[in-house]
Amino acid sequence: MASLIPCPHCGQRPREEFTVKGAALARPAADAAWELWFDYVYLRDNPRGRYDEHWHHTSGCRRWLVVTRNTATHEIEGARDAAARKEAAQ
Amino acid sequence: MRYSALSVFLNGLRGNTAWKPAWREPTPKSHYDVIIVGGGGHGLATAYYLAKEFGIRNVAVLEKNYVGSGNVGRNTTIIRSNYLLPGNNPFYELSMKLWEGLEQDFNFNAMVSQRGVLNLFHSDAQRDAYMRRGNAMRLHGVDADLLDRTQVRQMLPFLGFDNARFPILGGLIQRRGGTVRHDGVAWGYARGADAMGVDIIQDCEVTAIRRYKGRVTGVETSKGFIGCSKLAVAVAGNSSQVAAMVDMRLPIESHVLQAFVSEGLKPFIDCVITFGAGHFYVSQSDKGGLVFGGDIDGYNSYAQRGNLASVEHVIEAGKAMIPALSRVRVLRSWGGIMDMSMDGTPIIDRTHIDNLYLNAGWCYGGFKATPASGFCFAHLVATNEPHAVTREMRLDRFARGHLIDEKGQGAQPNLH
């Protein structure tokens, strides 16, 4: 894991300031079929390579971020605010 | 050659020149009854028990690197069966019983040392939880003793009993738990399987799985195509990668777990101690080094190395438990890739493909399970029926809602 995470609000910050949550997945609708929910809760692509992950800038701006990094090399490609990502999806 | 005190003596007289390699280096045959992907502890144990218990000897173990280069050579060597849940405990107890007879069984010194595993507790609530787990263990016929503060102090006077935040109130001990020389396990199983005719093929990476009419017919490898009647996958952290070759998605994430060893010290820890107020476990190797570890780093990773933030976290917990550790120097640290399942419990099951079998999801508890995992996986591959103690370790338990969540964390693999 890289030592620095580029927070879109605070700039390059040490990894110790952040808390990892896990895979950044698109949440199904509340009334979606159970298979979709099962997939969302339990199944993972678990790629070796590019990966979107939720991190919380716990000791900084306290915003939720989506960090794109490489699971094989630990290089970070970029990070954006999780809310910004939601708006882009809509 | 059978190893014995006499063979050591006689070979010594001849200048130790007559020892043979412990296993052959065969070229792959065109077809095997069973191919096992993954030459780690579990894959080698599976091959060993397939040959020994089920008489299936036309078996190949394919390892992309060298035998024991993955997690079986990277763990903190602890064995125990101090589990709470009925879906887990009998399995791990079977493993403990196999450990107890393992060295005689495969004629190899794996240095099985039942020095005891002590879990410390630091609050009344934690004592109650440990007492419950101890009672559950005893109901399953497993040994467990609850020690009070005085008893723990007599055993290990150097612990930080009066830590202001986490005073040590006592501990739950499984005296039959302990440590095993981890490489010896891989070598012993490899040698034992090889002697019964199993081909152990190193530097042979599986790149694709060939199928015909819904059945596996063989694997494409870096040494060409190898056919098989049954394919058994035991590849730990790479489970999702191999499953993706047959378009399967698993309830597994790959995470990195670090482990550490200190400089050699005079003997002072004669058991395994785990900290109850943080995640830290330590034992002392026969060379004197403290072997210790903690939590996984928490982010998905396929790199066999971790991050300094986790190093600091582990060592802080260790220092809180044993204040004297502050002056000990760490010699080295390393990382291994854990196949973290969604409920913290492994999967030993068949798949939607009739002759493809899966052994995965060991989280960071795979080493202690090695003998039972191999035994039960061999049972499944040979008979197509799960062994009685792995009946609940099914792949479809997530969809059916029958999770085995020992830690009660839910589908959050980096917290198990």
Side-chain angles (χ1 to χ4, degrees):
Chain A
M1 182 61 204
S3 298
L4 295 171
I5 294 177
C7 175
H9 307 294
C10 315
Q12 293 277 2
R13 303 297 303 168
R15 171 250 181 278
E16 286 85 338
E17 290 185 3
F18 297 80
T19 310
V20 64
K21 164 76 172 134
L25 306 168
R27 192 180 170 88
D31 57 354
W34 78 265
E35 290 89 349
L36 285 176
W37 274 102
F38 166 66
D39 193 293
Y40 169 74
V41 175
Y42 291 114
L43 298 185
R44 295 288 181 270
D45 289 333
N46 195 18
R48 184 189 175 93
R50 202 165 182 271
Y51 190 59
D52 281 347
E53 204 170 44
H54 277 133
W55 288 74
H56 188 222
H57 198 176
T58 330
S59 306
C61 58
R62 300 195 63 79
R63 295 292 296 175
W64 278 99
L65 311 178
V66 176
V67 177
T68 304
R69 34 174 219 103
N70 187 311
T71 59
T73 64
H74 288 171
E75 279 169 319
I76 292 181
E77 194 176 297
R80 55 202 184 280
D81 194 289
R85 179 173 178 265
K86 207 171 178 182
E87 283 155 23
Q90 280 164 358
Chain B
M1 182 191 293
R2 196 174 160 77
Y3 295 158
S4 64
L6 183 66
S7 74
V8 171
F9 180 71
L10 291 177
N11 275 288
L13 289 180
R14 284 184 283 175
N16 285 315
T17 51
W19 294 110
K20 298 275 187 302
W23 57 87
R24 298 164 291 134
E25 283 189 38
T27 44
K29 292 189 248 177
S30 61
H31 188 274
Y32 290 93
D33 292 343
V34 179
I35 286 182
I36 297 163
V37 187
H42 292 217
L44 294 166
T46 305
Y48 177 81
Y49 291 115
L50 267 177
K52 182 165 179 284
E53 303 290 335
F54 301 96
I56 301 175
R57 296 182 173 205
N58 185 22
V59 175
V61 178
L62 308 184
E63 166 57 44
K64 71 172 176 177
N65 204 327
Y66 58 90
V67 157
S69 56
N71 293 344
V72 73
R74 291 168 181 270
N75 56 77
T76 44
T77 78
I78 297 166
I79 61 167
R80 56 186 174 86
S81 56
N82 54 1
Y83 281 74
L84 171 74
L85 297 178
N88 268 335
N89 189 298
F91 171 81
Y92 288 101
E93 179 55 15
L94 171 66
S95 208
M96 183 58 77
K97 288 190 173 125
L98 289 168
W99 283 121
E100 285 172 338
L102 184 65
E103 295 163 302
Q104 294 302 321
D105 190 57
F106 67 19
N107 180 230
F108 199 90
N109 181 9
M111 296 165 66
V112 177
S113 166
Q114 294 181 285
R115 55 183 70 186
V117 173
L118 174 68
N119 303 143
L120 299 174
F121 57 78
H122 308 264
S123 67
D124 291 346
Q126 198 172 24
R127 181 198 57 216
D128 293 350
Y130 280 24
M131 197 182 284
R132 178 180 175 228
R133 182 154 56 88
N135 284 332
M137 288 162 66
R138 293 177 79 128
L139 285 171
H140 281 109
V142 181
D143 68 303
D145 284 312
L146 200 75
L147 306 182
D148 64 21
R149 186 178 156 93
T150 316
Q151 288 168 302
V152 175
R153 200 192 283 272
Q154 277 167 358
M155 266 178 75
L156 304 159
F158 50 80
L159 296 180
F161 285 92
D162 300 314
N163 185 306
R165 285 178 71 192
F166 312 117
I168 293 168
L169 303 185
L172 180 70
I173 189 167
Q174 185 188 14
R175 296 185 203 276
R176 285 164 63 242
T179 61
V180 180
R181 169 92 166 98
H182 51 355
D183 297 315
V185 176
W187 298 333
Y189 275 125
R191 176 171 167 272
D194 176 90
M196 290 183 284
V198 171
D199 282 357
I200 295 161
I201 302 161
Q202 307 183 75
D203 294 315
C204 182
E205 180 170 3
V206 171
T207 52
I209 296 173
R210 201 185 279 180
R211 281 178 288 170
Y212 181 70
K213 289 188 177 172
R215 286 177 67 84
V216 172
T217 55
V219 288
E220 306 284 351
T221 75
S222 51
K223 294 189 173 179
F225 175 78
I226 310 174
C228 65
S229 306
K230 292 180 174 181
L231 186 66
V233 177
V235 294
N238 289 307
S239 295
S240 298
Q241 302 297 301
V242 175
M245 293 176 189
V246 290
D247 309 315
M248 267 175 86
R249 291 168 76 227
L250 298 178
I252 284 174
E253 287 184 7
S254 296
H255 285 258
V256 60
L257 174 69
Q258 301 189 70
F260 311 83
V261 67
S262 79
E263 59 187 337
L265 303 167
K266 285 185 179 177
F268 80 113
I269 298 179
D270 61 356
C271 60
V272 178
I273 319 170
T274 76
F275 189 44
H279 208 166
F280 180 82
Y281 36 92
V282 64
S283 65
Q284 190 167 16
S285 80
D286 291 1
K287 284 194 290 186
L290 301 182
V291 183
F292 59 96
D295 264 325
I296 54 175
D297 275 28
Y299 45 83
N300 285 48
S301 175
Y302 282 91
Q304 287 173 318
R305 62 177 190 280
N307 183 262
L308 278 174
S310 308
V311 176
E312 189 176 20
H313 183 74
V314 169
I315 288 174
E316 278 172 358
K319 167 81 171 48
M321 187 174 90
I322 307 176
L325 288 190
S326 61
R327 294 174 63 191
V328 173
R329 279 164 294 199
V330 173
L331 268 193
R332 58 182 182 275
S333 68
W334 60 92
I337 303 307
M338 311 293 119
D339 35 340
M340 300 299 296
S341 71
M342 288 290 169
D343 61 356
T345 296
I347 297 156
I348 300 182
D349 202 358
R350 304 178 66 181
T351 64
H352 68 288
I353 299 171
D354 202 32
N355 58 344
L356 176 67
Y357 305 82
L358 181 69
N359 176 324
W362 291 98
C363 302
Y364 45 80
F367 178 69
K368 74 178 87 67
T370 305
S373 166
F375 193 94
C376 296
F377 198 34
H379 186 284
L380 179 74
V381 172
T383 66
N384 277 334
E385 291 290 329
H387 188 282
V389 297
T390 55
R391 234 167 243 290
E392 294 185 35
M393 296 179 178
R394 295 168 59 134
L395 179 56
D396 68 356
R397 67 175 183 266
F398 303 94
R400 291 162 54 249
H402 292 267
L403 306 191
I404 311 172
D405 195 341
E406 186 84 22
K407 212 169 162 186
Q409 293 283 22
Q412 188 67 37
N414 57 2
L415 297 181
H416 280 289

